Amino acid sequence: MSKIRITKQFSFETGHALYGYDGKCKNVHGHSYNLHVTVIGTPISDASNVKYGMVIDFGDLKKIVKEEIVDVFDHATVFNKNTPHVELAKELQARDHNVLLVDYQPTSEMMVIDFAEKIKQRLPNNIKLHSLKLSETASSFAEWFASDND
């Protein structure tokens, strides 16, 4: 049977700052992120399966991405834990703000790599992550493709 790609789109609001950057993004600011998650697989051919004809139920894909990405990053502020921003992060956390400390510079490029790893670990064995597209503005986005990373 044919391989089929399906895509589900998600949106979330996240703040970040890029320590050491030479432009405006060194300041704490936020984005309305849009994430397109595309997986590839063969539709289920067993007519007795309730998911017959589906590569993966969109609801199942939504559950994975919400738990791993959206619910974690939405309305959080992301800082690289290996920079002096950790002091600001601690202050915000002390004031009950949702802060994420990550091992990377929180650019769209690095976030999409992180997201790919998290999503791949949760997909069923017969479904592969094909690509991710993370838009931070209407005209700026980072993409991850499995074919570039195999």
Side-chain angles (χ1 to χ4, degrees), residues 64 68 113-125 127-129 144:
I64 291 167
E68 293 296 329
I113 292 169
D114 181 31
F115 295 175
E117 289 307 312
K118 289 177 172 155
I119 294 167
K120 284 192 304 183
Q121 291 177 16
R122 294 279 308 273
L123 290 172
N125 291 335
I127 307 298
K128 300 297 178 208
L129 183 61
W144 178 97

Side-chain angles (χ1 to χ4, degrees), residues 85-117:
H85 276 147
V86 74
E87 295 304 319
L88 174 58
K90 287 177 185 175
E91 175 67 22
L92 289 170
Q93 286 174 321
R95 295 172 184 259
D96 203 30
H97 285 254
N98 184 6
V99 174
L100 297 176
L101 296 173
V102 296
D103 291 325
Y104 54 83
Q105 181 80 310
T107 61
S108 290
E109 295 90 334
M110 298 304 292
M111 288 170 67
V112 82
I113 292 169
D114 181 31
F115 295 175
E117 289 307 312

Side-chain angles (χ1 to χ4, degrees), residues 48-65:
S48 67
N49 188 316
V50 296
K51 311 276 177 143
Y52 175 58
M54 297 179 180
V55 171
I56 185 173
D57 187 318
F58 281 113
D60 294 340
L61 182 57
K62 178 181 178 180
K63 182 180 188 309
I64 291 167
V65 178

Side-chain angles (χ1 to χ4, degrees), residues 3-149:
K3 293 276 187 184
I4 303 295
R5 298 174 193 170
I6 64 165
T7 301
K8 183 132 183 78
Q9 182 177 341
F10 302 86
S11 59
F12 53 95
E13 310 294 325
T14 303
H16 70 156
L18 304 179
Y19 182 78
Y21 182 67
D22 63 354
K24 290 181 181 180
C25 292
K26 68 182 176 186
N27 299 305
V28 177
H29 64 287
H31 298 285
S32 295
Y33 286 97
N34 283 302
L35 176 65
H36 291 80
V37 178
T38 302
V39 298
I40 188 168
T42 304
I44 296 168
S45 58
D46 177 1
S48 67
N49 188 316
V50 296
K51 311 276 177 143
Y52 175 58
M54 297 179 180
V55 171
I56 185 173
D57 187 318
F58 281 113
D60 294 340
L61 182 57
K62 178 181 178 180
K63 182 180 188 309
I64 291 167
V65 178
K66 271 187 58 51
E67 289 175 0
E68 293 296 329
I69 311 302
V70 177
D71 291 348
V72 176
F73 283 80
D74 190 37
H75 285 81
T77 305
V78 185
F79 296 105
N80 181 337
K81 71 178 183 182
N82 298 311
T83 70
H85 276 147
V86 74
E87 295 304 319
L88 174 58
K90 287 177 185 175
E91 175 67 22
L92 289 170
Q93 286 174 321
R95 295 172 184 259
D96 203 30
H97 285 254
N98 184 6
V99 174
L100 297 176
L101 296 173
V102 296
D103 291 325
Y104 54 83
Q105 181 80 310
T107 61
S108 290
E109 295 90 334
M110 298 304 292
M111 288 170 67
V112 82
I113 292 169
D114 181 31
F115 295 175
E117 289 307 312
K118 289 177 172 155
I119 294 167
K120 284 192 304 183
Q121 291 177 16
R122 294 279 308 273
L123 290 172
N125 291 335
N126 59 323
I127 307 298
K128 300 297 178 208
L129 183 61
H130 177 267
S131 64
L132 297 176
K133 178 179 178 181
L134 181 64
S135 300
E136 66 175 41
T137 69
S139 61
S140 302
F141 57 87
E143 291 183 291
W144 178 97
F145 286 89
S147 60
D148 296 337
N149 292 286

